[in-house]
Amino acid sequence: MPAYLVKGRVRTLDPSEHNDGIDAREKHIAISGGRILLVGDEAACLDALKSELGDEGLAGVERIDVPEGGVVLPSFHDSHIHPASGGLQVIQCNLRGCNTLQEALATISSYAENMRASGPSDTVLWVVGGGWQPGWFENGTPSKALLDAACPDFPAYLRDMNGHEGWTNSLALKEANIDRTTADPAAGCIVRDENGEPVGHLIMGACRLIVKSMPKLADSRRDKGLEAALHMALKAGITSFHDALVNEDVWKVYLRADAEDRLPIMVHMALEWVPALPMSENLANLKQKRSYARDHGKMIRAETVKIFVDGIPENKSAFMLAPYKAGGAGKQAMLTQVKTTSSESQPKTVSYEGIGAAEHKTAVGFEEAKEEDGGEEEENCCAGKGKKGGRKLQGEKEGEREGENGG
């Protein structure tokens, strides 16, 4: 790996260095093997590099001068984030700044009015966005009636703040052909009233019924969403992140950005495992993307596969050992057959998405089956929390729940 000696203004955030009001000082940084060896003066940094590389290796160290006015700061890696989809929400009907249902309805109404003012369109226009909170509604269930009143002229589909639920109006349900006769998908739920009519609340996999009926987003719109998310990440000091769910559309967004040098942040991707596809097709797709990122990616890596096992407790989709007090035991979103004897065909890391106690038994069972199968030791992780039968999955801290944006 390359080695560097960086010279410029550096702010280490060490309180002892910044108690005199000086934000940044002239320093050198010695870097080798992807690690910062030392921050100090030039002589000390050269000594550190020489100890690491030897005299011959020291001659190949690349020197970098920080541009005038620039400052080197510590940065962060976000281990569970959804910039491509989250960025879209920022430039769509964004409810994340709303504190009450009334504020959200006013925001939706204003957004729809702006769309109406733009004039007629050859295609069906949708109000799309999200960020609503279940606590705004009785029993956490939003109703189509409220959304019909705020947005009577356009189909509307809004994801909740965690990305696991959808709120729709009557026009959206009609566009998706969802009515009392529509069966719940295996990995989701259409919330209904006492007469069996959909109320406008969709959980987990049921959201896909709406999404597949919506007009396809233009590439330029998706690219703009990612640009908005990258800007927010950089402002927060994030210089690398792990997108915890990358489907085919999101993959293409990152590919375009990488090819056009629009990625100022290192992107690690968890590629979506598609339950509807055969295992052989999933594995071939994952391996192809991993190889492409390794061979051609500048700021992208695809070493992880994302597997949903269950949902979340808030909407009773987390798979539990015992029923919820209000009824329902949750569903496993995917009982999958990912066991394979070919470690080369597998992604390097498997990321399980799950929370419920019963789900963790499933995930632990998968780990045990893989070990029996002779699989290599890998840095697998579980983005969830709950009892795991006394066993902790690799890469997970006890009680840890990563991310907030649904998957």
Side-chain angles (χ1 to χ4, degrees), residues 343-400:
S343 60
E344 174 57 29
S345 297
Q346 297 185 60
K348 180 66 177 174
T349 305
V350 176
S351 176
Y352 311 96
E353 172 77 10
I355 293 179
E359 172 278 323
H360 283 289
K361 282 185 173 289
T362 302
V364 169
F366 170 73
E367 286 284 311
E368 291 170 345
K370 183 163 65 63
E371 289 171 5
E372 292 172 5
D373 212 24
E376 296 178 358
E377 186 74 9
E378 298 170 345
E379 289 299 320
N380 301 322
C381 66
C382 178
K385 62 183 178 182
K387 296 179 180 178
K388 296 178 277 298
R391 173 165 175 173
K392 190 185 299 182
L393 298 183
Q394 297 173 29
E396 183 193 16
K397 297 178 181 179
E398 192 65 43
E400 182 176 63

Side-chain angles (χ1 to χ4, degrees), residues 178-358:
I178 298 175
D179 56 28
R180 63 182 304 163
T181 67
T182 306
D184 286 352
C189 175
I190 302 169
V191 181
R192 308 168 193 268
D193 63 19
E194 62 275 8
N195 298 315
E197 293 289 343
V199 302
H201 183 199
L202 306 175
I203 296 175
M204 298 296 290
C207 295
R208 294 176 183 265
L209 302 177
I210 290 284
V211 173
K212 69 182 183 182
S213 69
M214 292 166 56
K216 183 175 176 60
L217 273 176
D219 289 348
S220 58
R221 187 70 167 166
R222 292 185 180 277
D223 294 346
K224 188 175 180 181
L226 178 61
E227 181 183 351
L230 294 174
H231 177 71
M232 294 173 68
L234 288 172
K235 284 182 66 176
I238 296 171
T239 56
S240 70
F241 58 70
H242 184 250
D243 190 322
L245 181 61
V246 175
N247 60 23
E248 194 66 29
D249 287 331
V250 174
W251 166 257
K252 292 175 182 177
V253 172
Y254 284 128
L255 249 59
R256 286 195 298 272
D258 195 46
E260 297 167 9
D261 294 322
R262 291 187 286 105
L263 280 180
I265 293 176
M266 190 71 195
V267 179
H268 301 269
M269 293 180 268
L271 302 173
E272 180 186 35
W273 181 278
V274 184
L277 296 180
M279 181 171 67
S280 58
E281 189 171 339
N282 265 303
L283 290 174
N285 179 48
L286 298 171
K287 188 176 180 181
Q288 183 272 327
K289 286 181 168 60
R290 179 183 65 179
S291 296
Y292 183 91
R294 287 178 176 178
D295 296 341
H296 306 289
K298 290 173 279 188
M299 296 291 285
I300 59 172
R301 294 295 181 268
E303 301 292 326
T304 305
V305 57
K306 175 62 169 286
I307 299 175
F308 275 101
V309 186
D310 72 343
I312 58 174
E314 292 94 318
N315 57 32
K316 297 188 292 186
S317 60
F319 189 47
M320 300 295 188
L321 294 172
Y324 289 88
K325 288 184 177 180
K331 296 181 179 180
Q332 280 176 288
M334 199 181 90
L335 295 172
T336 187
Q337 73 294 13
V338 293
K339 182 181 177 185
T340 172
T341 57
S342 176
S343 60
E344 174 57 29
S345 297
Q346 297 185 60
K348 180 66 177 174
T349 305
V350 176
S351 176
Y352 311 96
E353 172 77 10
I355 293 179

Side-chain angles (χ1 to χ4, degrees), residues 85-236:
S85 57
L88 269 178
Q89 191 177 105
V90 169
I91 65 172
Q92 294 174 327
C93 185
N94 186 12
L95 305 180
R96 285 188 174 267
C98 301
N99 296 313
T100 66
L101 175 59
Q102 288 68 34
E103 289 182 14
L105 292 172
T107 298
I108 296 165
S109 181
S110 176
Y111 189 91
E113 181 59 36
N114 289 336
M115 286 178 54
R116 193 179 300 109
S118 66
S121 172
D122 294 334
T123 60
V124 177
L125 297 178
W126 285 61
V127 170
V128 181
W132 56 268
Q133 300 182 36
W136 292 343
F137 307 97
E138 185 177 356
N139 298 322
T141 300
S143 74
K144 60 185 178 186
L146 288 169
L147 205 46
D148 288 345
C151 181
D153 301 326
F154 304 104
Y157 171 66
L158 302 161
R159 297 298 287 265
D160 75 313
M161 64 181 300
N162 291 315
H164 290 270
E165 305 175 49
W167 179 18
T168 68
N169 65 1
S170 297
L171 288 177
L173 293 173
K174 183 178 179 180
E175 286 287 329
N177 295 314
I178 298 175
D179 56 28
R180 63 182 304 163
T181 67
T182 306
D184 286 352
C189 175
I190 302 169
V191 181
R192 308 168 193 268
D193 63 19
E194 62 275 8
N195 298 315
E197 293 289 343
V199 302
H201 183 199
L202 306 175
I203 296 175
M204 298 296 290
C207 295
R208 294 176 183 265
L209 302 177
I210 290 284
V211 173
K212 69 182 183 182
S213 69
M214 292 166 56
K216 183 175 176 60
L217 273 176
D219 289 348
S220 58
R221 187 70 167 166
R222 292 185 180 277
D223 294 346
K224 188 175 180 181
L226 178 61
E227 181 183 351
L230 294 174
H231 177 71
M232 294 173 68
L234 288 172
K235 284 182 66 176

Side-chain angles (χ1 to χ4, degrees), residues 68-82:
E68 184 176 353
V71 178
V72 179
L73 295 167
S75 64
F76 301 95
H77 170 77
D78 194 314
S79 62
H80 191 127
I81 192 173
H82 302 273

